């Protein structure tokens, strides 16, 4: 509401300025003011119509050859352009907007990724890609900074939309492509991790909770379209309810959603809850024992009954202790054990491809824990050797 009001105030301010200009300038001044006012409001509309028309008539989805193109890439997807920066100002914010870079750096220092490791860097997806699932109206709204800020829940409405697009939307779009590409790598190697993504509050028709692009919905869509997969299991262990993908999957009976979230925090979306097939009980300040025990008991039952062909693991770390948003009490060791449990079930026990995306958790302490956890996964399940064996099999 506050953003809407501010938007109205800024529009009224522009209008007042325009009227003032029209009354106080030379003979044709008012025409100029009227033109500038018209342009101010109309140019996103004109731009969107042109972009969408172009995408519909000329746009082609890039030929889908991911299994060939990404064949020899290690299944960890990352780009430096994932990180959200604003000329150093981001360092003043208590949240770690560069956690992706710090996870990547951690993995390099640990030797999980070295100079010889071929890492896939995703590109910003085309409009045609976005229109496969997102509504044209939603994409249009993303031309207005007030709307973007409402989705991001940050009071940056005074910044122009183009700046937010460059600094925030483009990194998120790229990470969305990264999640889809990681799912392709998972089909090839049995596992993959995108060092970003997990925008689980975004739907195809709207954003919220710092999420703009519904990457989980895109993974579901493209896995079916390009890999012929039908049954998909989404395991959402971010501390918040994954209401975005849940709303998108309300009518999809071939998607099974497991959600373990703190019901006493954002978003409390009761309509989206209808899409949750298995809800894992979590309460404020739960600790490792009850949390891990619930996961260990409830998730294997779903594998046995639902028999998924792909697992999307939304590995949010805002359930870690001291997180001001998640308000749970899981230790760093608990996070490592949790991720290990998810990979143990998918990779070893049930042998289902798993794609892991990082989702929420922006304390400064999160990145080292995520890097430790990925190191543990790679070592525990011998993922590097399995990757190399897979490559040799192809040659
Ligand atoms: Zn969260």
């Amino acid at each position: 509401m506050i953003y809407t009001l501010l938007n109205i105030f800024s529009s009224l301010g522009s209008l007042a300025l325009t009227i003032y200009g029209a009354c106080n300038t030379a003979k044709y001044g008012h025409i100029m003011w009227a033109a500038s006012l018209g342009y101010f409001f109309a140019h996103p509309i004109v731009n969107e119509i042109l972009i969408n028309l172009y995408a519909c008539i000329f746009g082609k989805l890039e030929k889908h050859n991911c299994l060939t193109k990404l064949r020899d890439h290690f299944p960890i997807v990352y780009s430096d352009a994932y990180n959200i920066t604003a000329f150093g100002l981001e360092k003043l914010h208590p949240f770690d907007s560069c956690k992706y870079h710090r996870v990547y750096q951690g993995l390099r220092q640990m030797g999980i990724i070295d100079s010889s490791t071929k890492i896939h860097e995703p590109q910003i997806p085309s409009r045609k890609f976005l229109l496969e699932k997102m509504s044209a109206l939603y994409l249009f709204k993303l031309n207005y900074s007030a709307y973007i800020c409402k989705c991001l829940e940050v009071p940056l409405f005074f910044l122009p939309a183009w700046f937010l697009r460059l600094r925030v939307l483009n990194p998120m779009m790229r990470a969305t492509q990264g999640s889809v590409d990681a799912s392709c790598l998972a089909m090839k190697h049995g596992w993959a991790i995108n060092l970003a993504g997990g925008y689980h509050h975004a739907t195809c028709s709207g954003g919220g909770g710092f999420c703009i692009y519904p990457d989980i919905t895109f993974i579901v869509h493209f896995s079916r379209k390009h890999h012929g997969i039908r049954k998909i299991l989404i395991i959402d262990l971010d501390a918040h309810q994954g209401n975005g993908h849940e709303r998108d999957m309300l009518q999809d009976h071939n998607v099974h959603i497991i959600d373990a979230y703190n019901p006493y925090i954002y978003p409390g979306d009761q309509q989206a809850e209808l899409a949750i097939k298995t809800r894992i009980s979590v309460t404020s300040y739960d600790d490792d024992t009850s949390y891990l025990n619930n996961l260990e008991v409830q998730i294997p039952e779903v594998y046995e009954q639902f028999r998924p062909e792909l697992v999307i693991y939304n590995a949010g770390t805002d359930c870690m202790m001291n997180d001001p948003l998640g308000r749970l009490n899981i230790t760093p060791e608990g996070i490592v054990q949790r991720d290990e449990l998810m990979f143990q079930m998918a990779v070893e026990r049930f042998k289902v491809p798993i794609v892991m995306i990082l989702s929420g958790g922006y304390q400064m302490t999160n990145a080292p824990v995520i890097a430790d956890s990925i190191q543990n996964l790679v070592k525990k399940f011998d993922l590097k050797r399995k990757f190399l064996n897979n490559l040799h099999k192809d040659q």
Side-chain angles (χ1 to χ4, degrees):
M1 176 58 89
I2 183 93
Y3 295 103
T4 312
L5 284 174
L6 284 165
N7 201 13
I8 291 168
F9 278 127
S10 66
S11 301
L12 287 176
S14 302
L15 188 64
L17 272 175
T18 307
I19 292 168
Y20 179 78
C23 297
N24 290 281
T25 49
K27 197 177 171 188
Y28 297 107
H30 60 287
I31 297 174
M32 211 177 73
W33 277 109
S36 76
L37 182 70
Y39 176 78
F40 176 80
F41 286 109
H43 81 275
I45 301 173
V46 175
N47 286 353
E48 280 295 309
I49 290 172
L50 290 176
I51 289 169
N52 287 333
L53 267 178
Y54 181 85
C56 291
I57 298 169
F58 302 109
K60 284 196 185 85
L61 273 179
E62 202 186 325
K63 192 170 173 293
H64 195 80
N65 56 356
C66 68
L67 291 183
T68 317
K69 200 173 78 181
L70 304 179
R71 192 182 61 83
D72 55 349
H73 287 73
F74 191 57
I76 289 183
V77 177
Y78 172 75
S79 164
D80 269 336
Y82 279 177
N83 299 285
I84 295 171
T85 56
F87 309 113
L89 288 174
E90 72 283 356
K91 295 195 178 93
L92 302 175
H93 197 277
F95 280 13
D96 185 4
S97 67
C98 294
K99 83 168 178 182
Y100 318 117
H101 172 73
R102 299 196 324 118
V103 173
Y104 178 73
Q105 281 303 109
L107 293 174
R108 284 197 73 106
Q109 282 159 13
M110 291 164 182
I112 299 298
I113 295 169
D114 57 38
S115 50
S116 65
T117 315
K118 207 167 170 185
I119 290 288
H120 171 56
E121 285 192 39
Q123 299 300 310
I124 293 175
S126 65
R127 174 57 63 109
K128 189 84 177 169
F129 172 104
L130 298 176
L131 282 172
E132 284 268 314
K133 287 311 289 178
M134 293 173 75
S135 78
L137 177 63
Y138 177 29
L139 289 168
F140 166 66
K141 288 184 198 168
L142 294 175
N143 286 292
Y144 294 95
S145 48
Y147 184 74
I148 298 170
C149 291
K150 177 177 163 285
C151 299
L152 297 176
E153 299 187 347
V154 288
L156 296 174
F157 47 84
F158 51 86
L159 291 173
W162 61 263
F163 181 85
L164 293 172
R165 178 166 290 273
L166 278 178
R167 293 288 159 177
V168 185
L169 299 197
N170 284 354
M172 287 184 169
M173 258 195 274
R174 193 184 291 270
T176 298
Q177 178 74 60
S179 294
V180 172
D181 292 347
S183 68
C184 292
L185 282 162
M187 294 309 299
K188 173 76 188 161
H189 299 290
W191 68 279
I193 302 168
N194 181 25
L195 298 185
Y199 305 125
H200 67 156
H201 299 304
T203 71
C204 294
S205 54
F210 204 71
C211 299
I212 303 276
Y213 300 98
D215 62 333
I216 294 176
T217 303
F218 275 111
I219 296 177
V220 170
H221 173 70
F222 283 110
S223 300
R224 285 180 172 155
K225 184 168 179 171
H226 297 309
H227 302 290
I229 281 175
R230 198 164 61 91
K231 296 174 87 175
I232 297 172
L233 172 61
I234 299 172
I235 304 176
D236 192 337
L237 301 189
D238 184 278
H240 297 90
Q241 180 195 354
N243 62 325
H245 60 80
E246 284 160 13
R247 278 179 175 256
D248 283 342
M249 305 299 156
L250 274 168
Q251 306 301 328
D252 194 327
H253 301 295
N254 284 313
V255 169
H256 189 111
I257 298 175
I258 299 175
D259 202 344
Y261 61 95
N262 184 348
Y264 303 108
I265 57 172
Y266 176 89
D269 188 334
Q270 291 181 346
Q271 194 197 341
E273 275 175 11
L274 298 173
I276 302 173
K277 306 274 182 5
T278 304
R279 181 168 165 177
I280 295 182
S281 170
V282 177
T283 50
S284 285
Y285 302 106
D286 254 6
D287 61 10
D288 292 3
T289 315
S290 58
Y291 181 70
L292 292 171
N293 191 45
N294 283 337
L295 301 181
E296 207 165 353
V297 170
Q298 287 183 257
I299 297 180
E301 290 172 3
V302 176
Y303 271 97
E304 275 159 11
Q305 285 163 18
F306 180 64
R307 298 188 177 275
E309 296 158 79
L310 174 71
V311 177
I312 302 170
Y313 172 34
N314 195 49
T317 47
D318 49 4
C319 49
M320 200 165 84
M321 53 182 22
N322 301 323
D323 190 290
L325 301 178
R327 289 192 238 148
L328 295 176
N329 209 18
I330 310 304
T331 63
E333 297 75 30
I335 296 286
V336 174
Q337 283 178 46
R338 177 196 73 168
D339 293 348
E340 185 182 319
L341 187 60
M342 292 308 113
F343 267 59
Q344 189 271 330
M345 286 182 210
V347 174
E348 280 197 348
R349 187 166 165 193
F350 296 101
K351 302 202 183 327
V352 182
I354 181 169
V355 53
M356 170 171 160
I357 45 185
L358 298 194
S359 204
Y362 299 97
Q363 297 181 82
M364 291 297 174
T365 47
N366 284 59
V369 175
I370 297 166
D372 280 348
S373 180
I374 294 174
Q375 181 193 36
N376 177 58
L377 295 175
V378 171
K379 290 194 167 165
K380 192 96 187 177
F381 302 106
D382 209 3
L383 297 178
K384 256 194 160 169
R385 193 181 56 79
K386 283 180 182 156
F387 164 71
L388 291 172
N389 284 350
N390 237 352
L391 282 192
H392 289 140
K393 252 192 265 170
D394 282 353
Q395 284 161 1

